[in-house]
């Protein structure tokens, strides 16, 4: 199979603090991982593509200094929400695939971030 | 730019009904299309993956079709059950892309 683990599942933080979310591919190596954001009753919006050993590629409108992505190994990508504010409260979910698409994409269980 | 649309946005049916969820995409140059299920507050569970060269895929009571030339896919659910209640998402991987592009989903409610 292809399993993606994401932690934490829920986090509440104070405004101004930073939060790190981890995404791990458990049984395969992923040179590329993807980070999405989902607002209530909305679709998943691609935030950035995480590339192992190089800089992430951010979608238009996503602040790269706000959402720091690190992909230091073939099985781990992290998303850090820096200086979080209430408007950053959302559902964040990561994804990876074993190859370009022949086996489909697997998603983590998501992280519900609440900034108070 | 690829855009994915799902109709209807919401659907309520009694248990036992057969139903069809629709997905359309604007750029027919796709690599594959994937249907997911999402329960409230949860991640995504992959249901079916259709490669661009395929016309349909089946898994249990689920059948997904793909008409690439017209930019459409349907997800057919047979003999619906209350446990099928969830949001169903259609996602497309374009030939030129690396990430999935999602529709807004269809929220299905099956009553017993």
């Amino acid at each position: 199979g292809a399993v993606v683990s994401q932690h934490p599942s829920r986090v509440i933080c104070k405004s101004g603090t930073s939060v790190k979310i981890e995404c791990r591919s458990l049984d395969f190596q992923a040179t590329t991982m993807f980070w999405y954001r989902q607002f209530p009753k909305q679709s998943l919006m691609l935030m950035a593509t995480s590339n192992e050993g190089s800089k992430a590629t951010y979608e238009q409108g996503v602040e790269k200094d706000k959402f720091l992505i690190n992909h230091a190994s073939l099985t781990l990508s992290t998303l850090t929400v820096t200086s979080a504010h209430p408007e950053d409260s959302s559902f964040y979910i990561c994804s990876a695939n074993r190859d370009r698409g022949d086996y489909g994409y697997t998603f983590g269980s998501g992280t519900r971030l609440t900034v108070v | 730019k690829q855009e994915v649309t799902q109709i209807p946005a919401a659907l309520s049916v009694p248990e036992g009904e057969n139903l069809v969820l629709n997905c359309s995409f604007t750029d027919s140059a796709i690599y594959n299309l994937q249907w997911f299920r999402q329960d409230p507050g949860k991640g995504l569970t992959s249901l079916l993956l259709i490669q661009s060269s395929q016309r349909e895929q089946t898994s249990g009571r689920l059948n997904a079709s793909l008409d690439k030339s017209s930019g459409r896919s349907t997800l057919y659910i047979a003999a619906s059950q209350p446990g099928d209640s969830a949001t169903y998402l259609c996602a497309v991987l374009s030939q030129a892309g690396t990430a999935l592009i999602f529709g807004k989903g269809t929220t299905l409610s099956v009553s017993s």
Side-chain angles (χ1 to χ4, degrees):
Chain A
V3 180
V4 174
S5 175
Q6 185 174 342
H7 294 281
S9 58
R10 291 180 176 272
V11 58
I12 301 173
C13 70
K14 291 184 177 181
S15 186
T17 61
S18 295
V19 174
K20 180 184 285 187
I21 303 170
E22 291 189 348
C23 180
R24 294 180 184 272
S25 55
L26 297 185
D27 53 357
F28 66 101
Q29 294 182 333
T31 56
T32 304
M33 291 185 176
F34 306 91
W35 288 96
Y36 290 83
R37 182 174 182 176
Q38 186 178 34
F39 290 104
K41 300 188 184 299
Q42 296 295 317
S43 183
L44 277 74
M45 298 300 297
L46 180 66
M47 297 176 64
T49 300
S50 173
N51 304 298
E52 188 270 335
S54 64
K55 292 182 178 181
T57 303
Y58 291 82
E59 294 299 299
Q60 190 173 13
V62 178
E63 300 175 59
K64 61 181 180 181
D65 295 330
K66 174 93 173 148
F67 300 99
L68 299 180
I69 291 173
N70 183 277
H71 195 153
S73 77
L74 288 172
T75 59
L76 174 64
S77 175
T78 60
L79 168 67
T80 301
V81 183
T82 63
S83 186
H85 290 284
E87 57 265 30
D88 298 324
S89 298
S90 190
F91 188 68
Y92 295 87
I93 190 166
C94 69
S95 172
N97 65 301
R98 294 174 61 179
D99 52 41
R100 185 171 182 270
D102 290 342
Y103 292 94
Y105 285 67
T106 302
F107 284 76
S109 55
T111 297
R112 170 69 62 191
L113 170 63
T114 302
V115 184
V116 297
Chain B
K1 180 182 177 182
Q2 181 74 268
E3 293 183 1
V4 181
T5 303
Q6 290 188 246
I7 294 173
L11 182 63
S12 293
V13 299
E15 182 177 7
E17 275 204 7
N18 303 323
L19 56 100
V20 174
L21 308 181
N22 297 291
C23 171
S24 62
F25 45 94
T26 55
D27 184 354
S28 62
I30 67 169
Y31 192 81
N32 58 37
L33 182 147
Q34 203 165 351
W35 282 93
F36 294 89
R37 168 182 173 143
Q38 185 177 31
D39 292 291
K42 304 295 184 182
L44 276 63
T45 300
S46 180
L47 298 174
L48 290 164
L49 169 68
I50 309 178
Q51 301 297 341
S52 62
S53 59
Q54 298 174 326
R55 293 193 65 85
E56 67 176 343
Q57 283 287 341
T58 298
S59 176
R61 295 183 292 108
L62 304 180
N63 175 276
S65 68
L66 174 64
D67 184 342
K68 194 173 65 170
S69 61
S70 67
R72 294 182 180 182
S73 176
T74 61
L75 178 66
Y76 176 82
I77 302 177
S80 59
Q81 303 171 357
D84 294 332
S85 299
T87 295
Y88 291 81
L89 294 162
C90 168
V92 168
L93 179 63
S94 295
Q95 288 280 3
T98 58
L100 291 177
I101 304 299
F102 282 84
K104 290 186 176 182
T106 294
T107 299
L108 172 65
S109 176
V110 181
S111 57
S112 57

